[in-house]
């Protein structure tokens, strides 16, 4: 039984979606990052960076327990464990991994900054809001053009989509009208209709 440590953030929801999609048995543990639980010594022993999500798999690749941090790395690990949601061909695999890195390096950090300055900053910072909103819109354009070429980011449904979807799911937080990006909207609706995605999105809040 995999132990999942998570919270109600897009990064937290990536892993519960993946576990549901793969059909792996797991226990979910809420780590309340608002209360600082991510800095508890017991949790830091699992994730030295004091972030969520993390997993502990008692059946690692060598048959021994393994602790994993960083949501993208966890998705790659679970894909390797199950043989699911990463194309098997060399070209397809690298296409999926590049879009996963696009989410990790661009979509997550920029959308997160928009969320912070729109929702959590103690006072409005016009420069930051303008800067990050423009970049957020540019990234939506990149996604929309890619999804105009292919049904999913890697052509087939993959960990790249699983990683990106929870961030796009907060489109209202970053004041985006998905109808402005019709290919993203079509992709978003298709993924939203997957039962495992709906279950995985709900896990951290339960």
């Amino acid at each position: 039984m995999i132990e999942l440590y998570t919270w109600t953030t897009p990064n937290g929801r990536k892993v519960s979606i993946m576990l549901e999609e793969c059909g792996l048995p797991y226990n979910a543990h809420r780590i309340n990052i608002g209360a600082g639980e991510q800095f508890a010594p017991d949790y830091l022993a699992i994730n030295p960076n004091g972030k969520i999500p993390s997993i502990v798999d008692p059946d690692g690749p060598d048959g021994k327990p393994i602790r994993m941090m960083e949501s993208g790395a966890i998705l790659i690990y679970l894909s390797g464990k199950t043989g699911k949601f990463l194309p098997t061909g060399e070209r397809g695999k690298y296409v999926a991994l590049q879009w996963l890195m696009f989410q990790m390096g661009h979509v997550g950090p920029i959308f997160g900054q928009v969320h912070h300055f729109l929702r959590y900053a103690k006072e409005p910072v016009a420069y930051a809001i303008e800067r990050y909103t423009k970049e957020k819109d540019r990234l939506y354009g990149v996604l929309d053009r890619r999804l105009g070429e292919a049904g999913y980011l890697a052509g087939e449904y993959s960990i790249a989509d699983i990683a990106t979807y929870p961030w796009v799911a907060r489109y209202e937080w970053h004041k985006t009208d998905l109808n402005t990006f019709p290919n993203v909207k079509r992709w978003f609706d298709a993924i939203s209709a997957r039962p495992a995605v709906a279950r995985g999105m709900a896990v951290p809040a339960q």
Side-chain angles (χ1 to χ4, degrees):
M1 186 80 74
I2 291 173
E3 304 298 326
L4 166 65
Y5 301 85
T6 189
W7 187 243
T8 57
T9 68
N11 286 337
R13 288 183 160 114
K14 293 176 192 176
V15 178
S16 51
I17 289 173
M18 183 65 171
L19 289 164
E20 290 288 338
E21 288 279 24
C22 292
L24 289 168
Y26 68 98
N27 293 315
H29 308 272
R30 286 168 57 119
I31 302 297
N32 186 337
I33 61 177
E37 293 178 0
Q38 71 273 32
F39 302 120
D42 287 350
Y43 185 68
L44 288 174
I46 297 169
N47 186 327
N49 195 33
K51 301 287 185 179
I52 61 92
S54 304
I55 64 168
V56 177
D57 184 358
D59 183 23
D62 54 0
K64 300 176 182 178
I66 186 171
R67 299 168 177 173
M68 292 287 301
M69 63 180 189
E70 294 299 319
S71 59
I74 295 170
L75 295 182
I76 294 170
Y77 171 76
L78 294 174
S79 178
K81 182 179 180 71
T82 61
K84 296 180 178 180
F85 305 114
L86 188 62
T88 54
E90 287 293 292
R91 177 176 293 271
K93 178 179 71 175
Y94 291 121
V95 170
L97 290 175
Q98 76 174 353
W99 286 105
L100 174 64
M101 297 304 115
F102 174 78
Q103 185 282 305
M104 299 295 296
H106 299 279
V107 171
I110 295 301
F111 287 19
Q113 291 295 332
V114 177
H115 297 167
H116 174 78
F117 284 104
L118 287 179
R119 296 175 63 91
Y120 301 115
K122 293 181 179 179
E123 58 185 40
V125 183
Y127 172 77
I129 292 171
E130 180 182 12
R131 173 182 172 85
Y132 291 118
T133 296
K134 283 184 176 179
E135 180 63 2
K136 177 265 297 181
D137 290 339
R138 188 190 73 81
L139 294 173
Y140 264 102
V142 174
L143 289 171
D144 201 64
R145 288 189 293 275
R146 171 56 183 164
L147 293 168
E149 302 170 344
Y152 297 97
L153 291 172
E156 62 186 78
Y157 182 65
S158 74
I159 56 175
D161 304 292
I162 291 171
T164 306
Y165 173 84
W167 285 100
V168 175
R170 286 192 165 169
Y171 62 91
E172 293 179 337
W173 282 35
H174 46 254
K175 297 185 178 180
T176 297
D177 180 358
L178 288 188
N179 293 311
T180 306
F181 303 99
N183 298 313
V184 175
K185 178 69 161 56
R186 184 266 312 154
W187 166 90
F188 179 79
D189 290 344
I191 296 178
S192 297
R194 297 178 69 93
V197 171
R199 293 194 303 270
M201 287 289 285
V203 164
Q206 292 173 349

